[in-house]
Amino acid sequence: MRTLMPGRSRLAVAAALLAVTVLGLGTAPATAASTGRDDVPRHYLALGDSLAAGYQSTPDGGHVVGRGYAQDIARTLADRAAARGRAFDFTDLGCPGETTGTMAGGGCPYPHPYADSQLAAAVRFLREHRDERVLVTLDIGANDVNRCAAGGSIDVPCTLAGIATAGRGLSGILDRLREAAGPRTRIIGMNLYDPFLAAWPTGEQGRATALASVPLSNALNAVIALADAAHGVPTADVARAFGTNTFLPMVPLGDTKVPANVARILQWTAMARGDIHANDTGYQVIADTFLALI
């Protein structure tokens, strides 16, 4: 653990410098979307990848869509709206498999309701509701780097390149969302938990993979946070909620003990069967992290 800490710090600093110098991030724009707080928007628009779509695998090898954090948030907001006698509607454009590139340019591999790109559909929605109170949540970037972990190991150069791609792509997406958003639109982003911590119980190589994954996860989350901040967008700190950096204490899991962050990943996602997606518990944690900012 101690020998990895300098590397972790260097990766996080490198990611921050990359975001500032390569992505051209500057001062957050002053927008009405970041002023005033109201926990009952008229419209809720969920954007992103499979997490936004509410994708979950099932133990029988199947899957469901529409059972994730966005649905949890929508239920809470609908209840709040009903209690105040207000109208509320929910639109989920999230597409499983989406990268920052496909979100902007089209080509999401999962069936979706728009003919062009998710971003184009989101821009149309925001323009149509420009004068209304709109909440937008966004998660994107995981699929830019997930391909770099295969066979129980992490390809570091591939991951760093993916982080740079995710940062540039997210910045471009937020540019277009901000341009389309009205004065009463509020956008909230999120960072990501680290599913590869789940490799820890598989042996020495698994522990090495889990340890190596954390500084890379931190680097990706640093780039996400910087892109969000440059666009006046708060970031729901999902990584902190999942305790990504919390290796201690060791806690019971089955008939053994594992680091606290490993236990959470195995309990709050389907990584025990090799699926990176959150389960009902994990999605509720993500929803609560967003709701704390709404």
Side-chain angles (χ1 to χ4, degrees):
M1 286 276 295
R2 289 194 299 271
T3 60
L4 286 179
M5 288 301 292
R8 179 184 306 180
S9 300
R10 285 195 298 271
L11 281 170
V13 171
L17 291 173
L18 178 67
V20 173
T21 60
V22 177
L23 307 183
L25 301 181
T27 304
T31 66
S34 61
T35 63
R37 291 175 65 93
D38 188 332
D39 63 355
V40 187
R42 172 64 180 83
H43 305 280
Y44 169 32
L45 176 65
L47 303 175
D49 52 30
S50 52
L51 297 182
Y55 183 103
Q56 291 195 47
S57 64
T58 54
D60 61 2
H63 71 272
V64 296
V65 175
R67 204 173 85 189
Y69 75 79
Q71 288 72 31
D72 294 335
I73 292 171
R75 279 192 295 273
T76 298
L77 296 180
D79 289 344
R80 292 178 184 177
R84 291 163 174 77
R86 299 187 188 180
F88 171 81
D89 66 64
F90 167 47
T91 301
D92 192 344
L93 299 181
C95 189
E98 197 85 284
T99 65
T100 55
T102 62
M103 183 172 180
C108 179
Y110 196 88
H112 46 276
Y114 31 88
D116 38 19
S117 71
Q118 182 180 167
L119 182 56
V123 165
R124 286 193 295 272
F125 183 98
L126 292 175
R127 287 174 176 166
E128 289 169 3
H129 302 286
R130 189 173 177 84
D131 296 327
E132 299 176 83
R133 187 179 296 279
V134 180
L135 169 68
V136 180
T137 60
L138 171 64
D139 82 81
I140 197 69
N143 291 319
D144 290 276
V145 300
N146 282 345
R147 62 185 177 84
C148 301
S153 63
I154 297 174
D155 183 333
V156 174
C158 172
T159 302
L160 292 175
I163 290 170
T165 297
R168 287 191 296 268
L170 175 59
S171 185
I173 288 165
L174 289 172
D175 282 343
R176 290 185 61 189
L177 292 177
R178 274 297 188 211
E179 182 181 4
R184 304 177 74 194
T185 294
R186 187 155 191 251
I187 304 170
I188 304 178
M190 68 169 259
N191 62 21
L192 303 165
Y193 57 82
D194 178 3
F196 304 109
L197 284 164
W200 181 281
T202 63
E204 184 176 349
Q205 178 60 44
R207 289 191 292 275
T209 296
L211 288 167
S213 72
V214 170
L216 294 170
S217 177
N218 289 341
L220 173 60
N221 286 335
V223 167
I224 290 172
L226 284 164
D228 284 350
H231 293 83
V233 171
T235 305
D237 197 350
V238 170
R240 182 177 181 181
F242 273 67
T244 293
N245 290 281
T246 308
F247 280 94
L248 293 174
M250 302 289 283
V251 299
L253 185 72
D255 57 359
T256 188
K257 284 191 172 183
V258 299
N261 52 1
V262 174
R264 285 190 175 180
I265 281 295
L266 289 169
Q267 291 166 341
W268 293 356
T269 75
M271 278 301 290
R273 55 176 180 267
D275 174 22
I276 66 173
H277 297 94
N279 56 26
D280 287 338
T281 300
Y283 275 127
Q284 187 62 62
V285 170
I286 297 171
D288 290 343
T289 307
F290 271 111
L291 287 166
L293 297 178
I294 299 173

